[in-house]
Amino acid sequence: AQRVTQPEKLLSVFKGAPVELKCNYSYSGSPELFWYVQYSRQRLQLLLRHISRESIKGFTADLNKGETSFHLKKPFAQEEDSAMYYCALRVAAGNKLTFGGGTRVLVKP
Amino acid sequence: GAGVSQSPSNKVTEKGKDVELRCDPISGHTALYWYRQRLGQGLEFLIYFQGNSAPDKSGLPSDRFSAERTGESVSTLTIQRTQQEDSAVYLCASSRGPPGTGELFFGEGSRLTVL
């Protein structure tokens, strides 16, 4: 069965510093990878998906099939980036999403 | 409404009682998910409905948990004989598909507290 691992439960960085959230997955095929974010008192929502190859709110993520990773990065963290971040995997279109355990990011002023 | 709606938003119950949690997905979304989020932990998959296909129940933790969905509309998650370890936020999400984009739209959750 597929699995998503986020090794860091908490990341604390200062404003303006780079931040990288790690995500590793186990699946032998070609999955689709996503990052979801939950800001304080808001609903969980999609941040970005690897297929789109987009940068959202300054965040980017590259799928590395060799390392089975999909780390989320931002070169200059902002206080409004403080949130809970979840990495998720889908093995085929129409299939369920499997989420990692989440990483809480705290950006200090 | 425009988003996924869940009710009740908060439920406090006594150990051993049954509870029902309701989810109204976004109109037209054929996929519906239930997840559980215990305090300080990640999202735990419970069950997945996709159109008229047989649901994926592989995440249900015990036979005390069950869920139904009528067509492509409302879903109800039922927990029988609740235990204290069932205390959590139960999240519902819906999405288009298949194939869909993989974007799930989440409700605000139902917080269950079992005393």
Side-chain angles (χ1 to χ4, degrees):
Chain A
Q2 60 271 22
R3 179 174 290 183
V4 179
T5 302
Q6 294 179 248
E8 305 127 334
K9 282 193 174 294
L10 174 65
L11 273 180
S12 183
V13 300
F14 285 102
K15 175 182 173 181
V19 63
E20 181 179 30
L21 288 74
K22 291 186 170 48
C23 172
N24 289 91
Y25 65 90
S26 60
Y27 179 64
S28 57
S30 294
E32 295 178 57
L33 275 296
F34 307 83
W35 277 99
Y36 278 76
V37 61
Q38 187 170 27
Y39 301 104
S40 178
R41 287 185 284 277
Q42 293 188 28
R43 303 180 184 209
L44 192 58
Q45 60 187 286
L46 178 68
L47 179 63
L48 56 79
R49 55 175 75 90
H50 92 270
I51 285 179
S52 302
R53 298 181 178 277
E54 56 202 347
S55 173
I56 303 294
K57 298 183 179 182
F59 284 96
T60 59
D62 291 318
L63 178 60
N64 186 322
K65 292 184 179 180
E67 296 183 357
T68 59
S69 69
F70 188 56
H71 303 329
L72 183 69
K73 303 175 185 178
K74 184 168 183 175
F76 307 103
Q78 302 300 312
E79 289 181 67
E80 56 264 29
D81 296 327
S82 295
M84 194 74 178
Y85 292 80
Y86 293 92
C87 183
L89 172 153
R90 183 170 76 162
V91 302
N95 200 278
K96 70 187 182 195
L97 259 68
T98 299
F99 285 82
T103 298
R104 182 170 297 282
V105 172
L106 176 61
V107 181
K108 297 177 286 187
Chain B
V4 176
S5 177
Q6 291 187 246
S7 62
S9 54
N10 276 288
K11 176 72 176 179
V12 180
T13 191
E14 293 179 346
K15 178 181 172 182
K17 300 283 189 185
D18 297 351
V19 296
E20 276 192 358
L21 307 177
R22 177 188 168 103
C23 174
D24 268 297
I26 292 173
S27 178
H29 282 190
T30 59
L32 186 147
Y33 303 74
W34 283 98
Y35 290 90
R36 178 169 70 177
Q37 188 173 34
R38 288 183 167 137
L39 186 63
Q41 298 188 22
L43 287 164
E44 178 186 4
F45 168 76
L46 296 177
I47 188 168
Y48 166 55
F49 296 90
Q50 175 56 64
N52 294 319
S53 301
D56 179 347
K57 303 179 180 181
S58 60
L60 294 178
S62 76
D63 59 7
R64 295 187 296 105
F65 287 72
S66 62
E68 293 184 349
R69 186 182 187 193
T70 307
E72 295 182 357
S73 61
V74 171
S75 176
T76 302
L77 176 68
T78 302
I79 309 173
Q80 295 178 309
R81 304 181 302 283
T82 53
Q83 303 295 312
Q84 288 183 333
E85 61 262 29
D86 298 335
S87 296
V89 176
Y90 289 83
L91 289 171
C92 176
S94 69
S95 70
R96 298 181 191 278
T101 63
E103 180 172 7
L104 269 58
F105 294 83
F106 282 85
E108 293 185 321
S110 291
R111 182 178 298 278
L112 175 65
T113 303
V114 183
L115 301 176

